[in-house]
Amino acid sequence: MHRHARRGGVWAVQNESGVSVQMKITREMILRKAFAVYLEHGYSDASVSMLQQKMNIGRASMYYYFQSKEELFREMINRFVVEEWCKAAGRLNSAVASLRDLLEALVEQYRHIRQMIEENAPGADMSNLSALILNAYVRDDSFRMLMTESRREIAGKLRAAILNGVRSGELPPDVDVEKAVTLFADMKDNSESGGGVRRSTDEDVSAFRDMLFYLYDLIRQRRGR
């Protein structure tokens, strides 16, 4: 399709047959398309021109909603990272307090993130998202504070679940709680960084679950030793 003219929030475009059609340009559409472009190409290479080309809209339409590439990037991070973290926190809060249930909830959280990437940018992987998060971490103080707090909350949930596991007999009484918290948290962070390994969503989620529960079984097998 080729852009023809703009009327308010609607672009009049011509398809391959030269027929004029209308395409609604919304803030959500721009954010979704931008997320896909950033996942595939990264922050530095995703120029305004590239974003325009991928969305088939003009510069004026871009700047109608966002005054700069930086503002677009910040809003995109809020929409697809911060909001998703808040939703994930709600799901974890509803998880049963046993360590096994918490680990299953973390696996489902990871599955949701991978599915979101797959839906928006099928050719991308977790390392692409991690690079975007790192970019936001460096550029935005409020995002850096949010990320730090999110990690602190995850560690707190792991600690509480491990202590509950010791009290309930799920875990041995001599487990090193802080070491276990660090190991589980590091596994989560390492999996979300992607490591450059390209796998399907199901393969990636399965590998993440296998790692978490391998450690879980190791801790439980220490009982009586």
Side-chain angles (χ1 to χ4, degrees), residues 130-141:
S130 296
L132 293 183
I133 290 175
L134 179 59
N135 201 299
Y137 185 90
V138 171
R139 293 171 176 273
D140 192 326
D141 290 342

Side-chain angles (χ1 to χ4, degrees), residues 6-34:
R6 180 176 184 276
R7 300 183 183 92
V10 177
W11 281 104
V13 299
Q14 287 185 343
N15 61 22
E16 288 78 2
S17 301
V19 179
S20 181
V21 295
Q22 288 187 335
M23 179 176 64
K24 180 68 174 178
I25 303 297
T26 66
R27 189 181 186 88
E28 175 70 10
M29 171 195 160
I30 293 176
L31 288 173
R32 283 191 175 277
K33 292 288 188 178

Side-chain angles (χ1 to χ4, degrees), residues 12 33 51 53 174:
K33 292 288 188 178
L51 291 166
Q53 181 181 11
D174 60 343

Side-chain angles (χ1 to χ4, degrees), residues 150-186:
S150 175
R151 287 175 172 168
R152 186 181 297 118
E153 287 181 3
I154 292 295
K157 292 180 189 301
L158 285 166
R159 186 176 295 108
I162 292 169
L163 289 172
N164 284 339
V166 171
R167 286 192 289 267
S168 69
E170 177 189 13
L171 302 175
D174 60 343
V175 62
D176 188 327
V177 175
E178 293 307 314
K179 182 177 180 180
V181 168
T182 299
L183 289 172
F184 280 120
D186 285 350

Side-chain angles (χ1 to χ4, degrees), residues 99-178:
L99 179 58
R100 172 176 284 278
D101 288 334
L102 179 58
L103 296 181
E104 292 288 8
L106 288 175
V107 172
E108 287 308 304
Q109 177 188 23
Y110 186 73
R111 181 187 301 278
H112 181 79
I113 294 172
R114 283 294 282 112
Q115 288 173 339
M116 180 187 66
I117 294 175
E118 185 68 24
E119 289 169 3
N120 286 279
D125 59 30
M126 288 297 290
S127 61
N128 299 51
L129 179 61
S130 296
L132 293 183
I133 290 175
L134 179 59
N135 201 299
Y137 185 90
V138 171
R139 293 171 176 273
D140 192 326
D141 290 342
S142 61
F143 180 79
R144 185 159 54 249
M145 292 175 61
L146 176 68
M147 191 172 181
T148 301
E149 180 60 27
S150 175
R151 287 175 172 168
R152 186 181 297 118
E153 287 181 3
I154 292 295
K157 292 180 189 301
L158 285 166
R159 186 176 295 108
I162 292 169
L163 289 172
N164 284 339
V166 171
R167 286 192 289 267
S168 69
E170 177 189 13
L171 302 175
D174 60 343
V175 62
D176 188 327
V177 175
E178 293 307 314

